[in-house]
Structures are given as structure tokens and as C-alpha cells.
């Protein structure tokens, strides 16, 4: 340890106090020992946490104010109240005395409470959201993933006058990441070929959802009927992902039998994307009385380890693309992105975003859907029987909308609740095994979301998106859709994909398959740092991640 380091250490206490605050039903607060040895303040958890208790905050009060904090884009910024650093962002700040402070591991979330107080948060509400459907009408509820067992985890703050270390989210050092997961709801043999030609031309790889079985009430491609074409996708370097097993739903008994008995068509197809209300879905298996251990074993036997179940950070548009940047997912950013649209369309989309993403309250969303459905029936059938119901339900929907609009300057800056912790990839335990769950950016408008301006924004911020797409969606009201006509790609969309392909070729953007991205970023949970005898922060375990020094 250098003489200067020891001198400053003796002059300042650095940390005033550390408290552990549990976040379970009954909140408890414990004061922890605050002792820094050789540049490391180790925090012992197991004497206060019960087995399985993994929702808590560490409130760390410093003796010295924060000077700078490392942002998600790997730049220093002035610290502000409410700043958050998720699991895939640097957890580094600098004090007014120029000491770097860094977490010894990347788990948890940092949040600045005030300019001397840091919250190190573990599994706060909405940081690992999962969808559950219940009842005959498939009512949606949101629960939290189980998270990691932290009892035996060594948590510490590291202090160094010399350096700190940050880790790349990309295999191309500190570049942006663009990953696509496509839903095959509207795929046909013809548009599959057209899509594949577009991606071959633009040199873009995607994780392509597919239906294994040919069971649909409309024309749909499936592996059962279109094996040759889907094999071409794999040969071109794309990844195929189960989009449940079929487009339409069989009886509960037959559906569950299909799930248990199906044979994977490939040795390794790790990605599962829930579709519809299939009884065996990740979001529905408990409702259909499938034993958790049995469900875990079935997924494991089929080599499925990565799951998606209906949660998006928000909708992509101009200025909204980076899932690491929580300011992308605000009403202000969204409205700015759609303000060139006609007034009626703009207001309709804003209202939908307020209900679905800002409030994200299932009761409010059901009222909104019912109101929209009643209105369509009145207009389409010219029937006034539903007018009374329409006006009665209108008040329940208008009240929260008016609340936002009357206090627009306040509400417009608040990140959506399922985006505020950037839960891009996280773990969830089913039975005795952990699976990875991923969250997406819904991309319906490929003209604005993948515009040159947006792609440059992603590059500049070294950002990440995992796209939730429907490349073959035919709906005319999706004005930014991929297909202008049945088998004709829209010219501007084609130009956007070609431009994205150039950025990928130039190594400005990493374009991984989803399983490739998850396998790489899973290394963040393995990272371990320490302070050596010279007062430098050093890497003990890299997690096979790319990293660099900050000095």
C-alpha cells in the first residue's frame, strides 16, 4: 500500500454507516459493521438474512460527497439523485477526494439516494419481472423472479486512488449490441424466403421463432411442413427458437402431452418464446397444474435454458432503442419519437403507452381494452346498446389519463416501471435449476426504430437492444412494417437493415444470436474484484468478459 494511500486513509473515515434493510413483507433494518481493511470494506450478510431471503437494500452513507459516477455508456457524469446502475453497467463512482469506489462484484443495482448516500439494491420490485396468467380469462399478473441465493456471497466496496475496472457488454470491446428475437405468428413459406434473403443481403443474424407443429387456423409456416426452408435459416447462421409448439391451441390434455413428448429437431435449441395462451407456456404451466420439478425436467431434457414471457421495456421509435438507457423509456422520449405522426394516431399511441407501459397496471389495461372493444362495436355495428357501458367505463380510464396529462412535466420524465432497472437478462429458479429470462424492446416500426439516427445513438451510447419483432406482420396500420406488400420489402426498411449491416461489419455493433448474448453476459455474475498491496483494483475472476482499466 503506497504512503499517500495510507495517509489519506487515516485522514478520512470514508464511510459513515452501512445499514441492511430487508424488503420482504415485514421490513427490518440492521446496522452492519463498517470497517475498511486494505482498501476493502467487506459486508457480511449471513448473520442478518434468512435462508431464501434475497430482497434487501444496503444503505451506505459516505463521509465524503460523490464527485463523478460512471454511466451506462462508460462515460463519467455528474452524480444525481435517482441515478441507477444495473447489473450490466459499471458500478463505479469517484469521491471528492479522488478515490475510486467500486463494487467487488456486478450483482445487484446501485442507486444514488443523495450525494453522500448509495443504495446497493438486491432484487427490488420490478427488477426481475415475470408474467403469470390466471383464470379462464387469462388475467395477467406480474411476479418477481426468485433471484440468486446471496447468503454465501461476498459483498464488498473497494477503494483505490489508482484505478477502477469496467467490463464490456459486447464481445467487440465496448461496442453496441443489436439482437433480434422474431415471432413467427405471420410467417408463410413465401415470406420466410424473402426475410432470409434480406438478412443474407444485410449480413444480419437473428434468433428466429418457429412453430414445431403444423396446427393452425390460418396459413402458417411450421417445421413439420417447412423443414427445408427453416434448415436454410440455420445454415445461414441464424438461431431457431421455439415459439411454443404451434400457432393454435389444442385441448389442455393434448397440449401438455405434446409438450412432454416432443423431440427437439436439433441438438441445441435453448431459446423458448411463449406464444398465445398455450397451457404448457412458462407463463401458464402452474395454472395448468404442471408440477414445477416436472416442468424443470422437461425443459432440461429438451435443452431449453432461456425463456421469454411477454414483457417489453417499451416500444421502439425515434429516440427509443437502448434498453440500458432508462431515459429512453419515458413518456417524454416516446412522445418525441412519434410527434411527426398525424394527431389522431399520435394521441392514440400516447394513450396506449400511458396505460401499457407507464402505469402497466393490469386492472387499468383491462378497462382500456374493454373500452376500446366497446367503442369498435358501436362504430362497426352502429349499435347504441353499448353506449351506456362505454360512458360508464370511460370515467375509469380517463381518470388516470387526465392525472398524467395535468401533471405532464412531472410524469413525462419517470422511467416505465418495467424498464427502470434495465432487466435485460436475469435468472429465475424453476425446481432446482436456474434458467435465464430475457426482456425485450418491441419493434413494430422498423422505419424509425432502425433509422440511421437511432442506430448512431445506439453506437454512441454503446447500448443494447433485444428486439421483440414480427418481421412478417401484414397489418396496414403498422406503417413502419417490414413488408410493404405480401412479398415485397419496404424500401426504407430495407435501407435501414443494410445500414445496420454496415455498422455490424465495421465492428461498431455486435449482432449476436440471443443464446450467444446470454452466454456472454452471464459472465457478469461471476466477476470478482479485489484490491492488491499497491492499492490497485485487480480482477480475480473475469467471467470471460472483456475489461479495461480506468485511471
Amino acid at each position: 500500500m503506497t504512503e499517500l494511500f495510507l495517509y489519506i486513509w487515516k485522514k478520512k473515515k470514508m464511510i459513515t454507516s452501512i445499514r441492511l434493510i430487508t424488503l420482504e413483507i415485514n421490513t427490518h433494518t440492521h446496522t452492519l459493521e463498517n470497517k475498511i481493511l486494505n482498501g476493502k470494506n467487506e459486508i457480511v450478510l449471513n448473520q442478518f438474512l434468512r435462508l431464501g431471503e434475497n430482497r434487501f437494500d444496503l444503505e451506505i452513507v459516505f463521509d465524503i460527497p460523490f464527485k463523478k459516477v460512471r454511466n451506462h455508456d462508460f462515460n463519467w457524469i455528474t452524480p444525481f439523485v435517482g441515478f441507477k446502475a444495473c447489473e450490466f453497467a459499471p458500478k463505479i463512482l469517484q469521491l471528492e477526494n479522488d478515490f475510486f469506489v467500486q463494487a467487488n462484484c456486478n450483482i445487484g443495482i446501485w442507486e444514488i439516494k443523495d450525494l453522500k448516500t448509495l443504495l446497493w439494491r438486491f432484487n427490488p420490485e420490478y427488477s426481475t419481472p415475470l408474467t403469470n396468467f390466471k383464470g379462464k380469462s387469462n388475467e395477467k399478473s406480474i411476479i418477481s423472479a426468485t433471484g440468486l441465493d446471496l447468503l454465501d456471497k461476498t459483498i464488498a466496496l473497494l477503494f483505490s486512488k489508482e484505478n477502477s475496472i469496467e467490463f464490456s457488454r459486447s464481445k467487440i470491446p465496448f461496442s453496441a449490441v443489436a439482437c433480434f428475437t422474431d415471432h413467427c405468428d405471420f410467417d408463410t413459406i413465401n415470406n420466410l424466403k424473402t426475410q432470409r434473403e434480406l438478412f443474407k443481403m444485410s449480413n444480419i443474424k437473428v434468433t428466429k421463432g418457429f412453430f414445431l407443429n403444423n396446427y393452425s387456423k390460418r396459413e402458417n409456416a411450421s417445421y413439420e411442413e417447412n423443414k427445408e426452408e427453416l434448415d436454410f435459416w440455420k445454415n445461414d447462421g441464424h438461431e431457431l427458437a421455439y415459439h411454443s409448439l404451434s400457432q393454435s391451441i389444442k385441448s389442455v390434455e393434448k397440449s401438455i402431452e405434446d409438450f412432454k413428448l416432443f423431440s427437439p429437431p436439433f441438438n441445441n435449441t435453448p431459446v423458448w418464446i411463449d406464444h398465445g395462451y398455450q397451457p404448457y407456456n412458462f407463463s401458464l404451466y402452474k395454472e395448468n397444474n404442471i408440477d414445477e420439478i416436472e416442468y424443470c425436467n422437461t425443459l432440461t431434457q429438451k435443452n431449453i435454458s432461456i425463456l421469454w414471457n411477454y414483457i417489453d421495456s417499451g416500444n421502439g421509435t425515434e429516440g427509443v432503442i437502448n434498453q440500458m438507457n432508462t431515459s429512453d423509456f419515458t413518456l417524454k422520449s416516446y412522445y418525441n419519437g412519434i410527434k411527426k405522426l398525424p394527431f389522431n394516431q399520435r394521441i392514440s399511441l400516447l394513450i396506449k403507452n400511458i396505460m401499457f407501459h407507464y402505469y402497466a397496471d393490469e386492472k387499468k389495461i383491462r378497462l382500456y381494452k374493454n373500452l376500446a372493444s366497446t367503442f369498435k362495436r358501436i362504430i362497426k355495428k352502429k349499435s347504441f346498446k353499448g353506449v351506456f357501458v362505454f360512458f360508464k367505463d370511460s370515467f375509469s380510464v380517463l381518470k388516470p389519463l387526465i392525472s398524467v396529462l395535468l401533471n405532464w412535466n412531472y410524469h413525462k420524465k419517470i422511467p416505465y416501471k418495467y424498464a427502470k432497472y434495465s432487466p435485460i437478462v436475469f435468472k429465475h429458479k424453476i425446481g432446482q435449476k436456474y434458467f435465464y429470462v430475457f426482456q425485450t424492446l418491441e419493434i413494430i416500426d422498423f422505419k424509425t426504430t432502425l433509422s440511421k439516427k437511432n442506430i448512431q445513438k445506439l453506437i454512441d451510447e454503446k447500448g443494447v437492444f433485444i428486439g421483440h419483432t414480427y418481421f412478417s406482420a401484414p397489418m396496414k396500420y403498422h406503417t413502419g412494417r417490414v413488408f410493404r406488400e405480401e412479398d415485397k420489402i419496404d424500401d426504407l426498411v430495407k435501407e435501414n437493415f443494410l445500414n445496420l449491416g454496415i455498422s455490424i461489419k465495421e465492428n461498431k455493433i455486435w449482432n449476436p444470436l440471443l443464446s450467444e448474448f446470454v452466454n456472454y453476459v452471464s459472465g457478469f455474475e461471476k466477476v470478482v474484484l479485489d484490491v492488491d498491496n499497491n492499492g490497485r483494483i485487480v480482477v480475480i475472476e473475469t467471467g470471460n468478459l472483456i475489461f479495461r482499466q480506468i485511471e
Side-chain angles (χ1 to χ4, degrees):
M1 191 90 49
T2 64
E3 288 185 13
L4 176 63
F5 186 88
L6 285 170
Y7 172 74
I8 295 174
W9 204 260
K10 290 174 182 177
K11 292 282 286 182
K12 285 289 184 182
K13 191 177 179 182
M14 296 288 189
I15 293 177
T16 304
S17 66
I18 302 176
R19 296 194 306 156
L20 185 149
I21 306 166
T22 62
L23 301 176
E24 302 298 341
I25 296 173
N26 296 315
T27 300
H28 299 284
T29 302
H30 308 279
T31 300
L32 305 185
E33 184 180 8
N34 172 24
K35 191 174 183 181
I36 299 174
L37 295 173
N38 299 323
K40 182 176 179 179
N41 191 323
E42 197 164 299
I43 302 166
V44 179
L45 301 174
N46 56 16
Q47 60 181 310
F48 297 109
L49 294 178
R50 297 166 296 182
L51 185 65
E53 189 174 31
N54 59 13
R55 292 191 64 226
F56 62 92
D57 289 347
L58 294 174
E59 183 188 71
I60 305 162
V61 181
F62 287 77
D63 193 46
I64 302 160
F66 307 147
K67 178 182 178 181
K68 296 188 293 186
V69 64
R70 201 70 169 171
N71 202 15
H72 60 83
D73 60 358
F74 305 105
N75 287 310
W76 289 110
I77 62 170
T78 301
F80 59 88
V81 174
F83 168 87
K84 296 177 181 65
C86 78
E87 300 213 7
F88 305 123
K91 290 182 177 61
I92 304 168
L93 56 83
Q94 193 172 32
L95 303 177
E96 289 286 359
N97 64 359
D98 290 334
F99 265 85
F100 294 108
V101 182
Q102 178 160 12
N104 74 319
C105 58
N106 268 80
I107 63 171
I109 295 157
W110 273 17
E111 183 171 347
I112 292 178
K113 186 177 179 180
D114 60 51
L115 296 187
K116 280 189 176 182
T117 305
L118 177 70
L119 295 177
W120 194 346
R121 313 198 68 189
F122 297 88
N123 302 307
E125 189 176 20
Y126 309 128
S127 63
T128 55
L130 299 175
T131 298
N132 262 2
F133 290 115
K134 292 183 177 182
K136 292 182 180 179
S137 58
N138 293 309
E139 291 186 5
K140 185 178 179 180
S141 63
I142 302 297
I143 61 171
S144 294
T146 50
L148 297 172
D149 187 354
L150 299 168
L151 276 179
D152 298 321
K153 190 76 177 175
T154 300
I155 305 294
L157 287 177
L158 308 179
F159 295 80
S160 174
K161 192 76 172 178
E162 306 298 324
N163 73 314
S164 57
I165 295 170
E166 61 189 359
F167 294 83
S168 174
R169 294 180 290 265
S170 169
K171 279 189 174 181
I172 301 170
F174 300 92
S175 75
V177 178
C179 181
F180 294 96
T181 61
D182 187 57
H183 296 221
C184 57
D185 299 38
F186 307 100
D187 282 354
T188 64
I189 184 62
N190 290 331
N191 67 41
L192 271 173
K193 291 176 181 178
T194 308
Q195 292 173 60
R196 186 165 56 82
E197 289 167 3
L198 171 65
F199 295 128
K200 183 174 283 189
M201 188 188 310
S202 56
N203 194 35
I204 290 171
K205 299 297 184 286
V206 307
T207 295
K208 180 67 171 168
F210 75 102
F211 295 125
L212 180 65
N213 299 329
N214 181 39
Y215 187 76
S216 175
K217 294 175 183 176
R218 64 169 182 245
E219 182 188 1
N220 259 113
S222 68
Y223 194 77
E224 184 179 348
E225 292 291 315
N226 308 107
K227 176 182 182 301
E228 183 179 18
E229 174 58 28
L230 287 166
D231 283 345
F232 283 146
W233 280 77
K234 278 191 70 70
N235 293 339
D236 283 356
H238 302 290
E239 173 177 52
L240 294 184
Y242 298 109
H243 195 27
S244 295
L245 297 177
S246 64
Q247 167 70 273
S248 300
I249 303 174
K250 301 178 183 179
S251 68
V252 173
E253 294 76 15
K254 182 58 179 169
S255 295
I256 292 174
E257 181 184 351
D258 283 354
F259 177 68
K260 291 178 180 178
L261 299 180
F262 84 86
S263 297
F266 314 107
N267 290 331
N268 189 20
T269 309
V271 181
W272 177 279
I273 300 170
D274 271 8
H275 165 72
Y277 298 112
Q278 297 285 1
Y280 47 74
N281 276 352
F282 174 42
S283 52
L284 261 168
Y285 79 90
K286 287 186 178 180
E287 181 66 12
N288 288 290
N289 300 314
I290 301 177
D291 179 74
E292 186 172 324
I293 298 294
E294 184 181 12
Y295 192 73
C296 168
N297 291 340
T298 301
L299 292 175
T300 303
Q301 289 162 11
K302 317 292 187 186
N303 294 316
I304 296 166
S305 57
I306 303 169
L307 309 167
W308 181 86
N309 77 335
Y310 302 100
I311 297 183
D312 296 310
S313 301
N315 297 110
T317 187
E318 185 178 324
V320 179
I321 191 169
N322 181 10
Q323 286 177 264
M324 289 298 300
N325 186 352
T326 58
S327 65
D328 275 17
F329 301 98
T330 62
L331 292 173
K332 178 183 178 181
S333 292
Y334 184 74
Y335 186 74
N336 285 341
I338 62 171
K339 63 185 179 182
K340 294 177 184 177
L341 295 174
F343 178 78
N344 288 349
Q345 188 179 358
R346 190 165 73 240
I347 294 303
S348 175
L349 288 172
L350 178 62
I351 289 171
K352 192 173 181 180
N353 250 260
I354 290 172
M355 301 306 289
F356 281 79
H357 292 297
Y358 182 74
Y359 281 116
D361 178 281
E362 293 310 313
K363 186 177 179 181
K364 290 183 175 67
I365 290 170
R366 282 198 302 274
L367 284 168
Y368 169 80
K369 286 181 176 179
N370 291 340
L371 187 68
S373 180
T374 302
F375 180 74
K376 287 176 183 176
R377 282 199 304 271
I378 292 170
I379 298 300
K380 189 174 181 180
K381 297 182 179 180
K382 293 183 170 54
S383 168
F384 295 96
K385 291 180 181 179
V387 171
F388 175 75
V389 175
F390 176 79
F391 281 108
K392 181 174 70 71
D393 290 346
S394 293
F395 178 76
S396 299
V397 173
L398 286 172
K399 187 178 178 182
L401 289 175
I402 291 170
S403 175
V404 168
L405 296 175
L406 287 178
N407 298 282
W408 176 252
N409 287 333
Y410 168 75
H411 291 287
K412 70 179 182 180
K413 300 174 185 176
I414 299 176
Y416 301 153
K417 65 183 182 183
Y418 299 140
K420 65 180 179 179
Y421 295 117
S422 303
I424 299 172
V425 177
F426 54 89
K427 274 187 163 181
H428 175 61
K429 197 172 189 179
I430 303 173
Q432 297 302 312
K433 182 179 176 181
Y434 280 104
F435 293 79
Y436 287 99
V437 180
F438 66 100
Q439 186 165 302
T440 44
L441 170 73
E442 186 172 27
I443 303 177
I444 296 171
D445 188 341
F446 294 87
K447 293 180 181 178
T448 58
T449 308
L450 300 185
S451 67
K452 286 185 178 181
K453 184 177 179 181
N454 255 27
I455 295 303
Q456 190 58 52
K457 175 182 183 298
L458 188 76
I459 292 168
D460 292 343
E461 295 178 4
K462 302 171 180 63
V464 176
F465 75 78
I466 302 175
H468 164 197
T469 61
Y470 297 85
F471 292 138
S472 55
M475 288 77 83
K476 300 296 183 185
Y477 58 84
H478 288 166
T479 54
R481 64 190 182 277
V482 173
F483 283 88
R484 188 177 66 199
E485 299 168 10
E486 187 175 350
D487 293 314
K488 174 74 173 175
I489 302 291
D490 181 271
D491 289 338
L492 180 54
V493 172
K494 180 179 178 180
E495 183 182 326
N496 284 346
F497 276 114
L498 290 172
N499 175 65
L500 174 59
I502 291 170
S503 294
I504 291 166
K505 188 176 181 180
E506 293 175 347
N507 284 336
K508 295 176 181 177
I509 296 176
W510 182 37
N511 172 223
L513 306 172
L514 179 68
S515 62
E516 189 180 8
F517 178 67
V518 171
N519 289 340
Y520 176 76
V521 297
S522 67
F524 275 86
E525 71 199 50
K526 303 179 183 76
V527 166
V528 180
L529 304 173
D530 209 336
V531 179
D532 68 12
N533 291 331
N534 295 314
R536 292 188 65 84
I537 294 175
V538 294
V539 180
I540 304 300
E541 174 55 63
T542 67
N544 293 318
L545 298 176
I546 294 163
F547 63 92
R548 66 186 179 189
Q549 304 282 337
I550 307 170
E551 297 181 342

